[in-house]
Amino acid sequence: DNYKVAWPILKQYDFNATFFIVTGQVDPYNIDWDELKELVSQGNSIGSHTVNHYDLSCLNSKQQEKELRVSKEALEDHLGTSIKAFCFPYGKYNKTTLALLPESGYLLSFTTNSGKVRFGDNEYLLKRVHIWGGMSFSEFAEQVSYG
């Protein structure tokens, strides 16, 4: 739905976004590499969301490292761009995950914790603003406002 649903709406309103991609699901039925290349060429950024969308907190160190590394390498190889952002599947992680992220070359990562990013926040535990279907414009404006 990133390419087929979200991107046309973002483009209509002249917005860009970061799309977090599960590389094991890149195929003609979800999103393909050409569509991802188009997103990048239009000013969007791409982040990793692992290879298989596993709960990282349930994997051992070697398995976690593989999910982080292989996804990042696939995105970089196919898109010709550096991948620096990561988003935790299901918002799950542990101390091992947090240690592996910088070792794997990621500069920041996003949780599913609701909230706004503030100066000084841990760059590997960034919060997100949740937007839901049916949200009114005033609710949306309140969610994205820093005022």
Side-chain angles (χ1 to χ4, degrees):
D1 63 352
N2 283 314
Y3 184 80
K4 294 170 184 73
V5 178
W7 175 232
I9 296 167
L10 290 164
K11 190 166 40 172
Q12 177 183 349
Y13 293 100
D14 200 27
F15 283 101
N16 290 100
T18 299
F19 295 88
F20 290 97
I21 303 301
V22 178
T23 57
Q25 295 178 3
V26 175
D27 62 44
Y29 300 103
N30 293 304
I31 191 168
D32 65 34
W33 292 111
D34 288 335
E35 291 166 338
L36 286 168
K37 287 176 189 174
E38 180 186 338
L39 290 174
V40 171
S41 75
Q42 296 294 312
N44 297 286
S45 59
I46 303 297
S48 170
H49 200 42
T50 70
V51 176
N52 296 298
H53 204 266
Y54 294 148
D55 176 345
L56 294 174
S57 68
C58 295
L59 302 180
N60 66 38
S61 178
K62 186 175 179 177
Q63 293 167 318
Q64 286 191 51
E65 186 273 333
K66 184 176 179 183
E67 285 289 317
L68 295 171
R69 179 183 47 79
V70 172
S71 175
K72 186 176 192 302
E73 288 174 356
L75 291 166
E76 290 176 341
D77 290 347
H78 283 277
L79 304 177
T81 187
S82 181
I83 302 299
K84 300 297 182 190
F86 181 79
C87 186
F88 300 106
Y90 311 105
K92 303 287 188 168
Y93 59 91
N94 56 28
K95 288 189 283 187
T96 300
T97 319
L98 296 177
L100 287 169
L101 284 164
E103 291 175 17
S104 300
Y106 294 99
L107 298 180
L108 63 152
S109 58
F110 294 86
T111 67
T112 55
N113 298 331
S114 185
K116 296 174 182 165
V117 175
R118 305 282 187 210
F119 183 76
D121 285 354
N122 182 327
E123 62 270 18
Y124 293 102
L125 295 174
L126 297 174
K127 298 173 186 159
R128 296 176 8 186
V129 174
H130 292 275
I131 307 299
W132 54 91
M135 176 183 274
S136 71
F137 183 77
S138 61
E139 290 172 314
F140 173 80
E142 184 178 325
Q143 284 289 92
V144 299
S145 165
Y146 272 89

